[in-house]
């Protein structure tokens, strides 16, 4: 009994070491880790950089190029046109059929000044102008349209206020409310958009980091035919499984650490104005530890799933789908931003997501809630491991 | 292999640790979350109070409170310098001004904190206020005896303060003490109107502590605010406005010669002031408003401060000339309302009576000749300064100086008090200055057109690298109102 135990422990370390060393030699694993530290943050920050630059290019007060604006009936409202030009619009000849031109995408928008404009403006009644646009065009293409709306509304309120003054009425009269707002979020926490993307990225890479090992050590070995000789060694099968799981977890955890460092460095050095977050070493360590139970869970899940499959290819496609599972609770997180509580902190992936967000924000999170998250994930991971052990103890595992 | 990887990881964590954490000098000031408010507009900030000796030569003597507001940057590691704004007057509150500068401060806050002090004697820092009637002597028929009486009441009301220590020379020492107490290496200083005098003197006294300077509507070094300057500039502004109306066909055909309308209106109000019954511009209650030539001067002086005001003035003068006084009377009420409680007259006097009044030259005095304001303002200043204790001024205060710091100078083309000429004088004095004249705008142009963007770029870089002020040329005047519904379509 005693001898058996020692051999189990020794067997565990031998297999664990072998798997780790094998995989360090494997270019795929290393590539995944390299990708995790470089490509992950680059994906995220590259997108933000692109969005920010496009918006800047189009709206920057100083350097934006004039926005071309076709105007029908420009001669009917010279002062309105002067206002538009002053606000960096370049008035161009309108197309013959404005609606068709906007519909076909030849023009982003067309402004039409109606025949009644001059008459109505002088009479002090609202003067109609029509803005032809395509609401199915979305995102960055909409910037010019919004700038035009704002510019027209600014003209509206300027002339409106002066009309009141000219009649002896203070323009404040038509502004019954002064809406002041107080933001209680700390400055770091105002990066809501970026913060909500973080858990997604991190959880995804935890899974990716262990995926190849999980496949390789089970389905892969089976396909190569090396599983059978291994299982006939004088080591308990659960020891073999635990060692393989352990090796998977080591790579998954390494990837996690690298992603966290990558994000931290990107936050510090990425030339993006909207990012105003600092993720220091303490935050990285805290997040890393809090996410370890999820590393266990994710790897257990993958090893279990991989042991059902017969070939490398099959394992790859199943595990690919498995990635969706932990990302579902995170979608909820993006939409709702719940506060951490006993009700949600036992849920794996959601709770890690909350810990990541709170920690990055620099806001405290109750230690007992972190413990709950860690315990919850660990328990489920242990259950999955137990099932995997049971599977390994069947002869069918050799497939 | 294993060990190497671990070492590498260790190095990475260590590197990130040492790179991420930049030690900030801790603040000696006890900043607490607060709301700063001016009329209805309020914004979040952090507030603190710094005690400073009223008399700088007696550090342990009487202490006065300086009210300091800080708006923290959203950056993870803000720049080591802070951006500060200094209001004009003299006598108005810098913090009040900053509350309304959302559009300008927001882009700056993405990189650095904003730190604002109410200059001693203004706003929330031991304001030297006098009873209300003091501030609008311009609008009333001037009675020297009554004025002297009010002045002595004011002096006795302010007897708890030593009025000699509320000048620019003392104020810049305060500003630097606040900078140091708040833990910043340097200040990037924006000053407007009289605030440009403070900014320039700060640069002179603390060149190492100044990162860059923005002067908006410049009172250049040596400019005398107590002589005929206001009268002369106001007259010039009205003359220019009248010419512009004359050159613009729509204005000319609607109103003819507005200088003539103005003179006719002055003559008629001089002969017989009118009482206008009108709904109050805000409450709508029927009130009686007296209109004298002095009320008219007030409106003609204040409206050209902005392009919107210029656009309305010919119409309002024309209407009054035709016997329709309501808009003019309403403007009198609006102008007086906007001036009310804005100025700490005591601080204003402390500055003007120390830094300007003693240095008035004959040509300063003569420049008010032939203007509609004439020598009325000088008379008021003379009387005030005769009674006012003369304050402390640094010996070199009025001497030109040079600096290699970047100085961005902004002027409004039609500024009725500090025209682009002033900016040119300042630009010549500094070795490292750029002067941007914004077309069609009046006094203080930082909020106009693309100027907030220029200021953002200049403050971000702290120099003129890639600085391109061409966009300012897009600005246009608001077209003249031809009828109460506005300009031509």
């Amino acid at each position: 009994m005693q001898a058996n135990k020692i051999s189990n422990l020794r067997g565990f370390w031998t297999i664990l070491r072998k798997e780790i060393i094998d995989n360090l030699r494997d270019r795929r694993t290393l590539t995944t880790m390299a990708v995790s530290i470089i490509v992950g943050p680059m994906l995220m920050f590259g997108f933000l950089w692109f969005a920010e630059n496009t918006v800047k290019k189009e709206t920057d007060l100083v350097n934006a190029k004039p926005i071309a604006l076709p105007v029908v009936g420009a001669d009917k409202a010279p002062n309105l046109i002067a206002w538009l030009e002053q606000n960096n619009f370049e008035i161009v000849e309108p197309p013959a059929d404005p609606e068709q031109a906007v519909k076909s995408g030849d023009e982003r928008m067309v402004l039409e000044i109606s025949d009644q404009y001059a008459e109505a403006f002088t009479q002090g009644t609202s003067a109609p102008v029509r803005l032809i646009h395509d609401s199915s065009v979305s995102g960055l293409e909409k910037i010019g349209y919004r700038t035009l709306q704002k510019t027209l509304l600014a003209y509206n309120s300027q002339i409106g206020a002066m009309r009141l003054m000219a009649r002896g009425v203070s323009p404040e009269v038509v502004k019954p409310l002064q809406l002041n707002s107080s933001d209680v979020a700390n400055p770091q926490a105002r990066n809501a958009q970026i913060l909500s993307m973080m858990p997604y990225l991190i959880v995804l890479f935890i899974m990716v980091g262990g995926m190849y090992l999980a496949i390789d050590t089970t389905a892969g070995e089976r396909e190569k035919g090396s599983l059978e000789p291994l299982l006939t060694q004088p080591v308990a099968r659960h020891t073999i499984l635990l060692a393989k799981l352990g090796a998977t977890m080591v790579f998954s955890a390494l990837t996690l650490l690298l992603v966290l460092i990558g994000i931290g460095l990107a936050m510090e050095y990425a030339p993006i104005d909207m990012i105003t977050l600092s993720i220091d070493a303490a935050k990285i360590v805290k997040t890393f530890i809090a996410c370890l139970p999820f590393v266990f869970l994710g790897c257990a899940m993958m090893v279990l799933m991989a042991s059902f499959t017969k070939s490398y290819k099959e394992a790859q496609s199943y595990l690919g789908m498995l990635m969706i599972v932990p990302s579902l609770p995170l979608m909820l997180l993006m939409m709702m931003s719940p506060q951490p509580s006993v009700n949600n902190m036992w849920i794996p992936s959601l709770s890690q997501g909350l810990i990541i967000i709170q920690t990055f924000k620099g806001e405290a999170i109750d230690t007992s809630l972190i413990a709950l998250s860690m315990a919850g994930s660990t328990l489920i991971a242990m259950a999955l491991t137990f099932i995997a052990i049971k599977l390994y103890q069947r002869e069918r595992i050799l497939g | 292999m294993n060990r190497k990887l671990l070492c590498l990881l260790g190095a990475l964590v260590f590197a990130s640790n040492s790179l991420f954490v930049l030690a900030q000098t801790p603040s000696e000031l006890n900043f607490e979350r607060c709301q700063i408010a001016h009329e209805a507009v309020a914004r979040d900030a952090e507030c603190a109070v710094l005690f400073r000796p009223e008399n700088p030569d007696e550090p342990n003597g009487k202490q006065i409170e300086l009210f300091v507001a800080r708006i923290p940057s959203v950056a993870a590691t803000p720049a080591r310098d802070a951006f500060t704004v200094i209001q004009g007057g003299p006598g108005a509150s810098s913090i009040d001004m900053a509350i309304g500068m959302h559009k300008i401060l927001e882009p700056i806050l993405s990189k650095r904190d904003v730190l604002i002090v109410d200059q001693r004697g203004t706003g929330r820092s031991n304001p030297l206020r006098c009873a209300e009637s003091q501030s609008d002597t311009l609008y009333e028929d001037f009675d020297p005896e009554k004025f002297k009486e009010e002045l002595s009441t004011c002096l006795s009301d302010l007897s708890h303060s030593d009025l000699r220590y509320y000048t620019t020379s003392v104020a810049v020492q305060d500003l630097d003490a606040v900078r140091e107490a708040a833990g910043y290496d340097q200040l990037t200083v924006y000053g407007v109107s009289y605030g440009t005098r403070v900014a320039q003197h700060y640069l002179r006294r603390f060149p190492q502590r100044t990162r860059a300077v923005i002067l908006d509507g410049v009172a250049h070094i040596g400019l005398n605010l107590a002589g005929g300057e206001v009268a002369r500039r106001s007259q010039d502004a009205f003359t220019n406005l009248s010419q512009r109306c004359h050159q613009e066909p729509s204005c000319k055909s609607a109103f003819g010669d507005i200088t003539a309308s103005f003179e006719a209106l002055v003559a008629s109000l001089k002969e017989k002031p009118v009482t206008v019954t009108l709904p109050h511009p805000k409450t709508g209650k029927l009130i009686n408003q007296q209109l004298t030539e002095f009320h008219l001067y007030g409106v003609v002086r204040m409206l050209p401060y902005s392009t919107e005001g210029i656009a309305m003035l010919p119409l309002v003068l024309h209407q009054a000339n035709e016997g329709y006084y309501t808009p003019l009377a309403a403007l009198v009420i609006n102008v007086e309302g906007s001036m009310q409680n804005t100025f700490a007259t005591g601080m204003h006097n402390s500055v003007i009576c120390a830094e300007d009044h003693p240095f008035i030259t004959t040509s300063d005095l003569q420049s008010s000749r032939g203007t509609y304001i004439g020598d009325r303002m000088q008379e008021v200043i003379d009387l005030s300064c005769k009674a006012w204790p003369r304050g402390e001024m640094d010996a070199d205060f009025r001497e030109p100086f040079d600096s290699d710091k970047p100085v961005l100078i902004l002027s409004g083309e039609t500024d009725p008090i500090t025209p682009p000429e002033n900016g040119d004088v300042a630009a010549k004095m500094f070795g490292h200055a750029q002067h941007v004249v914004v077309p069609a705008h009046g006094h203080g142009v930082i909020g106009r057109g693309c100027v907030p963007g220029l200021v953002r770029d200049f403050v971000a870089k702290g120099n003129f690298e890639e600085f391109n002020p061409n966009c300012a040329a897009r600005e246009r005047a608001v077209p003249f109102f031809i009828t109460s519904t506005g300009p031509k379509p």
Side-chain angles (χ1 to χ4, degrees):
Chain A
M1 201 59 202
Q2 189 70 13
N4 194 12
K5 234 184 203 169
I6 290 166
S7 108
N8 264 344
L9 197 60
R10 195 177 293 154
F12 175 82
W13 285 116
T14 314
I15 300 171
L16 183 73
R17 265 188 58 191
K18 173 199 155 282
E19 295 290 4
I20 290 175
I21 290 168
D22 275 3
N23 268 280
L24 281 176
R25 291 197 186 114
D26 185 346
R27 191 160 288 179
R28 253 182 338 206
T29 317
L30 289 178
T31 314
T32 311
M33 297 211 306
V35 163
S36 62
I37 189 165
I38 300 164
V39 177
M42 260 180 60
L43 262 177
M44 192 161 90
F45 293 102
F47 167 73
L48 289 175
W49 182 83
F50 174 76
E52 189 177 86
N53 266 301
T54 315
V55 175
K56 218 189 226 166
K57 228 185 240 162
E58 297 235 3
T59 61
D60 186 82
L61 281 171
V62 177
N63 300 313
K65 283 203 194 98
I67 302 173
L69 176 66
V71 178
V72 182
D75 55 321
K76 292 180 198 114
N79 274 325
L80 177 64
I81 295 301
W83 172 255
L84 290 170
E85 282 171 338
Q86 171 177 354
N87 284 280
N88 212 17
F89 285 92
E90 189 192 336
I91 309 301
V92 297
E93 277 298 308
D97 182 349
E99 287 197 6
Q100 190 50 43
V102 174
K103 201 169 185 182
S104 65
D106 292 343
E107 300 288 354
R108 265 197 212 168
M109 58 200 170
V110 175
L111 183 68
E112 191 184 82
I113 293 164
S114 85
D115 291 335
Q116 305 114 274
Y117 183 92
E119 167 78 8
F121 190 87
T122 344
Q123 293 302 313
T125 57
S126 301
V129 290
R130 183 163 78 123
L131 188 45
I132 303 161
H133 72 113
D134 180 350
S135 75
S136 69
V137 172
S138 63
L140 300 173
E141 281 289 300
K142 276 259 128 116
I143 297 171
Y145 170 67
R146 286 198 203 101
T147 311
L148 178 59
Q149 274 185 319
K150 257 192 243 163
T151 308
L152 289 171
L153 287 175
Y155 190 71
N156 207 33
S157 52
Q158 186 195 49
I159 298 291
M162 291 175 69
R163 279 180 173 180
L164 288 175
M165 295 273 279
R167 289 163 169 77
V169 178
S170 165
E172 263 186 76
V173 166
V174 291
K175 205 184 160 211
L177 296 184
Q178 165 64 40
L179 180 62
N180 299 315
S181 69
S182 278
D183 186 352
V184 296
N186 73 42
Q188 297 267 304
R190 287 174 196 166
N191 305 274
Q193 190 195 354
I194 300 148
L195 275 169
S196 69
M197 287 163 73
M198 296 286 181
Y200 213 77
L201 192 77
I202 292 168
V203 164
L204 190 75
F205 273 100
I206 290 179
M207 301 289 283
V208 170
M211 189 169 99
Y212 283 107
L213 222 85
I215 299 173
D216 225 27
T217 53
T218 52
E221 292 224 39
R222 192 181 298 154
E223 197 174 284
K224 281 182 281 181
S226 54
L227 188 61
E228 200 168 342
L230 184 63
L231 291 179
T232 53
Q233 296 294 313
V235 190
R237 285 196 181 179
H238 69 262
T239 308
I240 298 174
L241 179 94
L242 287 177
K244 284 176 180 296
L245 178 59
T248 311
M249 281 170 62
V250 167
F251 280 93
S252 177
L254 270 179
T255 314
L256 166 65
L257 189 59
L258 287 173
V259 167
L260 289 175
I261 293 171
I263 290 174
L265 290 172
M267 285 290 182
E268 199 63 24
Y269 300 110
I272 303 177
D273 283 347
M274 51 175 134
I275 294 177
T276 57
L277 216 57
S278 175
I279 297 170
D280 56 17
K283 283 182 183 175
I284 290 178
V285 171
K286 195 177 166 195
T287 316
F288 178 69
I289 294 171
C291 286
L292 279 180
F294 185 80
V295 170
F296 183 19
L297 175 58
C299 293
M301 214 156 62
M302 288 191 291
V303 168
L304 177 64
M305 184 63 111
S307 54
F308 277 113
T309 57
K310 298 204 167 50
S311 69
Y312 203 98
K313 271 218 165 118
E314 196 187 345
Q316 242 178 345
S317 57
Y318 280 131
L319 261 56
M321 277 194 276
L322 191 66
M323 300 253 181
I324 300 171
V325 179
S327 63
L328 288 176
L330 295 175
M331 288 199 180
L332 193 77
L333 202 60
M334 273 200 208
M335 288 184 290
M336 299 190 31
S337 75
Q339 281 297 306
S341 73
V342 184
N343 293 329
N344 55 26
M345 283 302 281
W346 61 272
I347 306 169
S349 125
L350 181 75
S351 63
Q352 279 85 14
L354 282 169
I355 293 173
I356 292 167
I357 290 179
Q358 295 293 101
T359 311
F360 283 10
K361 267 190 199 175
E363 276 172 18
I365 178 164
D366 205 50
T367 322
S368 60
L369 288 178
I370 297 179
L372 177 63
S373 155
M374 294 177 83
S377 299
T378 309
L379 277 177
I380 299 172
M382 281 164 74
L384 291 176
T385 312
F386 182 73
I387 298 171
I389 289 171
K390 285 288 162 219
L391 267 172
Y392 262 68
Q393 278 163 355
R394 293 196 210 159
E395 283 311 312
R396 250 185 47 203
I397 193 73
L398 294 172
Chain B
M1 184 74 194
N2 254 339
R3 201 164 293 167
K4 259 189 204 164
L5 195 68
L6 277 173
C7 286
L8 184 69
L9 281 179
L12 267 175
V13 174
F14 179 74
S16 58
N17 190 13
S18 59
L19 287 169
F20 291 175
V21 185
L22 262 176
Q24 276 279 1
T25 324
S27 165
E28 289 166 33
L29 290 172
N30 190 17
F31 280 106
E32 277 176 8
R33 200 178 148 82
C34 65
Q35 288 247 302
I36 43 178
H38 176 54
E39 288 164 2
V41 187
R43 77 163 293 160
D44 293 349
E46 296 169 353
C47 300
V49 165
L50 179 69
F51 285 92
R52 292 279 294 162
E54 183 172 56
N55 177 351
D57 294 331
E58 287 174 18
N60 299 317
K62 184 194 165 194
Q63 304 286 307
I64 55 168
E65 289 185 0
L66 285 185
F67 191 92
V68 184
R70 174 168 75 180
I71 309 170
S73 166
V74 292
T77 37
R80 303 292 301 269
D81 68 290
F83 180 73
T84 193
V85 299
I86 306 170
Q87 171 65 303
S93 153
S94 299
I95 293 177
D96 284 355
M97 171 172 75
I99 292 164
M101 289 174 80
H102 185 85
K103 194 169 66 169
I104 294 126
L105 297 185
E106 228 51 33
I108 290 171
L109 285 168
S110 75
K111 302 225 161 56
R112 48 180 43 77
D113 296 346
V114 170
L115 181 75
I116 322 143
V117 195
D118 267 343
Q119 189 168 332
R120 59 166 66 196
T122 73
R124 300 149 186 83
S125 301
N126 191 30
L128 305 178
R129 293 187 191 285
C130 301
E132 206 37 63
S133 60
Q134 282 280 302
S135 55
D136 39 301
T137 34
L138 182 62
Y139 308 114
E140 288 151 25
D141 204 356
F142 188 58
D143 174 356
E145 287 316 309
K146 196 178 152 213
F147 181 74
K148 275 188 205 159
E149 220 169 87
E150 282 170 1
L151 198 63
S152 71
T153 319
C154 172
L155 279 167
S156 75
D157 284 352
L158 299 177
S159 59
H160 60 278
S161 297
D162 191 330
L163 302 172
R164 291 172 299 165
Y165 302 117
Y166 288 82
T167 55
T168 313
S169 302
V170 186
V172 297
Q173 306 285 341
D174 287 343
L175 182 58
D176 199 59
V178 169
R179 173 201 62 74
E180 189 163 3
Y184 296 100
D185 288 353
Q186 286 188 315
L187 291 177
T188 305
V189 186
Y190 166 84
V192 60
S193 196
Y194 157 76
T196 63
R197 181 185 278 182
V198 186
Q200 289 173 91
H201 198 57
Y202 184 81
L203 173 61
R204 183 204 302 266
R205 276 292 86 84
F206 303 99
Q208 300 306 316
R209 297 303 179 188
T210 314
R211 178 172 166 266
V213 178
I214 302 169
L215 306 174
D216 186 4
V218 191
H220 55 83
I221 298 292
L223 177 73
N224 200 318
L225 300 172
E229 186 68 9
V230 175
R232 168 168 81 117
R233 295 302 187 188
S234 301
Q235 181 61 54
D236 287 353
F238 182 73
T239 308
N240 289 339
L241 188 163
S242 174
Q243 273 169 9
R244 213 193 101 205
C245 179
H246 200 73
Q247 282 157 6
E248 223 153 90
S250 65
C251 192
K252 191 186 174 189
S253 70
F255 309 125
D257 182 358
I258 64 158
T259 303
S261 313
F262 176 52
E263 280 163 4
L265 193 56
V266 169
S268 103
L269 290 176
K270 233 180 206 168
E271 195 190 303
K272 191 170 178 278
V274 293
T275 302
V276 189
T277 306
L278 78 161
H280 187 277
K282 284 181 187 160
T283 65
K285 258 191 202 160
L286 273 191
I287 49 162
N288 290 321
Q289 170 70 40
Q290 228 216 349
L291 273 187
T292 65
E293 54 167 320
F294 304 108
H295 290 105
L296 176 62
Y297 295 152
V299 170
V300 170
R301 182 182 165 219
M302 295 316 293
L303 248 48
Y305 270 63
S306 70
T307 178
E308 290 83 358
I310 291 178
M312 297 190 41
L313 193 52
L315 173 69
V316 172
L317 289 177
H318 177 78
Q319 288 173 328
N321 238 344
E322 304 230 300
Y324 176 44
Y325 291 105
T326 304
L328 179 62
L331 282 172
V332 168
I333 295 167
N334 278 333
V335 166
E336 282 183 354
S338 71
M339 306 282 275
Q340 224 167 34
N341 298 324
T342 350
F343 289 98
T345 319
M347 181 274 193
H348 181 96
N349 288 348
S350 286
V351 169
I352 299 289
C353 297
E355 298 168 10
D356 298 275
H357 186 256
F359 307 97
I360 296 177
T361 63
T362 330
S363 74
D364 279 339
L365 287 174
Q366 279 166 352
S367 63
S368 67
R369 243 179 239 167
T371 67
Y372 65 88
I373 293 176
D375 53 10
R376 276 177 210 95
M377 287 188 88
Q378 268 162 248
E379 210 179 321
V380 172
I381 294 172
D382 268 341
L383 284 174
S384 301
C385 292
K386 260 178 205 144
W388 213 261
R390 184 166 163 184
E392 299 279 310
M393 189 183 88
D394 289 348
D396 56 354
F397 188 78
R398 297 177 57 83
E399 300 299 318
F401 71 103
D402 193 7
S403 164
D404 57 354
K405 296 287 172 179
V407 181
L408 172 59
I409 299 170
L410 303 169
S411 294
E413 188 193 18
T414 62
D415 189 332
I417 183 69
T418 54
E421 265 178 75
N422 289 16
D424 289 337
V425 176
K428 259 183 218 138
M429 190 176 77
F430 294 117
H432 211 74
Q434 266 205 45
H435 186 195
V436 178
V437 179
V438 183
H441 284 297
H443 192 53
V445 292
I446 195 173
R448 297 294 192 162
C450 70
V451 182
L454 292 178
V455 166
R456 170 204 65 197
D457 292 352
F458 178 72
V459 172
K461 285 238 157 75
N463 57 47
F464 290 108
E465 242 172 73
E466 290 171 49
F467 183 77
N468 180 8
N470 293 343
C471 63
R474 287 201 301 261
E475 286 306 294
R476 291 286 173 272
V478 173
F480 285 114
F481 264 50
I482 304 304
T483 67
S484 304
T485 63
K488 292 271 176 197

